[in-house]
Amino acid sequence: MSEKFEVGSVVTGKVTGIQAYGAFVALDESTQGLVHISEITHGYVKDVNEHLKVGDEVQVKVLSVDASAGKIGLSIRATEEAPEVPASPAKKAPKKRQAAIKTSTTTNDSNEGFNTLKDKLQEWIEQSQREDLIKK
């Protein structure tokens, strides 16, 4: 088997079976290999049946040969030219978010930690006018 199909060679095969994880392809009367779902085409493949049918003739590239296990790994997408990736648009700046202000439902503001500027402003004005707090 390994002397017949070498890694890297491209051969024509016939789809003999389809499973959720890939497709089996007969390379000759006595040898078949597996095209894993990730090797069917460029891009995401949700369902193998959307791309292949039993009896389809396909060009496959031999990815691996495990003679002792009798397995051959195949790829259809390796025989196809990769599609051009469109240039991605410039990255957008992240949206600016405003901070949420928590409002207290309790009447004891001294335990709250932060008061709004409006509430503190009046207190600061009063403190600045007190004679005992003014530095001399």
Side-chain angles (χ1 to χ4, degrees), residues 12-61:
T12 301
K14 193 172 196 175
V15 177
T16 58
I18 294 178
Q19 296 293 324
Y21 51 85
F24 290 96
V25 176
L27 304 176
D28 62 19
E29 299 80 32
S30 62
T31 309
Q32 71 176 359
L34 174 69
V35 179
H36 188 266
I37 190 169
S38 64
E39 293 293 335
I40 290 177
T41 189
H42 295 278
Y44 179 73
V45 176
K46 183 176 182 178
D47 184 7
V48 178
N49 293 299
E50 293 175 1
H51 299 273
L52 298 171
K53 292 188 266 327
V54 173
D56 285 353
E57 270 200 12
V58 291
Q59 289 282 321
V60 293
K61 182 174 184 176

Side-chain angles (χ1 to χ4, degrees), residues 72-97:
I72 299 178
L74 305 171
S75 173
I76 296 172
R77 78 176 186 163
T79 64
E80 301 169 346
E81 192 171 316
E84 286 187 30
V85 178
S88 60
K91 287 190 174 185
K92 295 180 183 177
K95 293 180 181 178
K96 293 185 179 181
R97 300 174 188 232

Side-chain angles (χ1 to χ4, degrees), residues 83-126:
E84 286 187 30
V85 178
S88 60
K91 287 190 174 185
K92 295 180 183 177
K95 293 180 181 178
K96 293 185 179 181
R97 300 174 188 232
Q98 293 182 344
I101 299 173
K102 291 185 179 181
T103 56
S104 175
T105 56
T106 62
T107 57
N108 187 359
D109 286 337
S110 63
N111 293 334
E112 184 61 32
F114 293 105
N115 293 327
T116 63
L117 185 59
K118 181 181 176 184
D119 294 340
K120 292 299 279 182
L121 185 59
Q122 186 60 40
E123 183 182 332
W124 293 334
I125 292 170
E126 291 170 5

